[in-house]
Each structure stands twice: as structure tokens, then as C-alpha cells.
Amino acid sequence: GAGVSQSPRYKVAKRGQDVALRCDPISGHVSLFWYQQALGQGPEFLTYFQNEAQLDKSGLPSDRFFAERPEGSVSTLKIQRTQQEDSAVYLCASYLGSGELFFGEGSRLTVL
Amino acid sequence: RKEVEQDPGPFNVPEGATVAFNCTYSNSASQSFFWYRQDCRKEPKLLMSVYSSGNEDGRFTAQLNRASQYISLLIRDSKLSDSATYLCVLIPYGGATNKLIFGTGTLLAVQP
């Protein structure tokens, strides 16, 4: 498709479950970002890929969070042993430079 | 102190009003600045870049004051469709990536 596609759009998990969130970026875009957006807050940086290389993972809040992009296109954000504080919208974005991030619609995670 | 700070609002203004938002940043070495717009339950989208000399795009004017470390967004002749959250964004100097740092956003509600 023409834009960034994320799935699932909505995910409800019980505390302690593992979840996997998928991002299909704009075809040919080398750079990919993941952000976490809690209710009433701005997006918080999680991690950045250039092709398959994860160049910055300084924003991942704990070792329960893991991201990969093995073939330099689709990316997966995995959260192990989910906690209530992980409830947020997880946004994936393609980036071509010049400050314009192209975001997907996000995956809204609710941990009960 | 957060790297980017914004008044969360809400700013409630009548149609046709002029409204201005400020955003302050703590890292004097910040490189580039932008305003993003986020509609309710939607993804953020780039509204405009902010240049040192100030720049205008129709009813929107953005300015940067490096000495006082703030950027501003002025909206003239507000429309109902301007109702959204406005996010201040910067790219800091240095680091391995051009990660974009978001503020918490300012909510604007334009009333009929």
C-alpha cells in the first residue's frame, strides 16, 4: 500500500501475556521508528532502524521490549510479560528525512 | 526537566480568533524544529517546519527564538477544522540517529 500499515489496530492482553505488533512501512523507506504514546501525552521514542540495523534502542523502557526488522522492511515490536503500564498506542513511522515522519494508524494496546 | 515542554491547554477559542502556542526546549544544541498536528485518535502528521527566520504557510506562522529557546505557532482566523492537538517537535544535534523528540502537545478547540 501507499502508507504505513500496522496490525493489530487493537489488542487487549492479560497482564503477563506476550504481544507482537507488526509494522509494514512505506516500500523503499530505509528508516523506521517506533514510538509509544500514552493517553494525553506526546509520542515517546522507542527505537530506530536503518534497513535491518537497529541503530538506537535507547527509548525501550525495559528488557521486556524487543524490536526487530530482519529483512529491512517489515518490523515487529514484541513486549514480553505485559504490564498495565504498557497500555498505550504504539506508533510506527517511515522516515525520509527533513523532519517528516509518516506514521501508521498505530496499535492500541490495553493490558488488563 | 523534559526536553520539550508545552502548555497542554485546552485552548478554547471562537471561530475567527487568532491563537498562539509556545513550546520551550532545554537542549540549546537542538538542530531542527517542527510542528505536527494530531487529530483525535489519529496519527500525528507534519504541519510545518520551523526556520530560524520564521516562516508562514497560509494562516499558520511559525517562529524560532534560539536565544530564549522557544518556538511558537500562530494560527490566524481559526476554523473549526483547526481543532486538534499541536505537537512541538525537535531533532537534537549529535547522536547516531535523527530521532524526533515530541512535546506533550497543546489541545486546541475552536468553537462555533
Side-chain angles (χ1 to χ4, degrees):
Chain A
V4 177
S5 177
Q6 291 188 245
S7 61
R9 289 289 313 280
Y10 302 92
K11 175 70 179 177
V12 178
K14 291 183 179 177
R15 191 170 53 184
Q17 276 186 330
D18 297 349
V19 300
L21 309 176
R22 176 190 167 106
C23 173
D24 210 330
I26 296 171
S27 178
H29 282 202
V30 165
S31 298
L32 183 149
F33 286 82
W34 281 99
Y35 283 82
Q36 178 192 58
Q37 187 171 25
L39 190 64
Q41 301 296 314
E44 295 277 350
F45 170 80
L46 292 177
T47 187
Y48 164 73
F49 289 86
Q50 191 168 70
N51 294 306
E52 69 278 4
Q54 189 175 22
L55 297 186
D56 188 338
K57 53 181 182 179
S58 62
L60 295 176
S62 77
D63 59 7
R64 296 185 296 103
F65 287 71
F66 172 77
E68 61 183 3
R69 195 185 183 198
E71 296 176 0
S73 55
V74 170
S75 177
T76 303
L77 176 67
K78 297 179 179 177
I79 309 173
Q80 297 177 322
R81 303 181 304 281
T82 51
Q83 304 294 313
Q84 284 188 319
E85 62 263 28
D86 300 335
S87 296
V89 177
Y90 290 86
L91 294 162
C92 174
S94 279
Y95 187 59
L96 269 183
S98 301
E100 186 163 16
L101 285 166
F102 294 92
F103 283 96
E105 293 182 295
S107 292
R108 184 177 297 272
L109 173 65
T110 302
V111 182
L112 303 177
Chain B
R1 183 185 171 189
K2 288 184 76 87
E3 202 156 351
V4 182
E5 299 210 48
Q6 295 183 249
D7 180 343
F11 283 60
N12 295 300
V13 302
E15 268 187 293
T18 295
V19 61
F21 313 130
N22 279 346
C23 163
T24 58
Y25 59 95
S26 58
N27 184 351
S28 60
S30 295
Q31 179 180 35
S32 307
F33 303 87
F34 310 90
W35 284 101
Y36 272 67
R37 171 190 168 129
Q38 185 170 25
D39 292 313
C40 188
R41 301 182 77 85
K42 296 287 190 181
E43 72 274 19
K45 293 183 179 177
L46 178 66
L47 177 65
M48 60 195 301
S49 302
V50 185
Y51 302 123
S52 297
S53 55
N55 51 296
E56 194 172 300
D57 183 1
R59 298 181 293 108
F60 298 81
T61 301
Q63 291 194 308
L64 166 63
N65 185 318
R66 286 194 183 271
S68 301
Q69 293 183 210
Y70 75 85
I71 69 170
S72 64
L73 178 68
L74 180 80
I75 306 175
R76 290 181 300 278
D77 188 23
S78 301
K79 311 291 185 192
L80 293 176
S81 57
D82 294 335
S83 298
T85 295
Y86 291 84
L87 296 155
C88 170
V89 184
L90 62 82
I91 298 177
Y93 275 120
T97 62
N98 287 327
K99 67 183 180 188
L100 281 72
I101 308 294
F102 286 76
T104 55
T106 298
L107 179 61
L108 172 65
V110 181
Q111 314 288 340

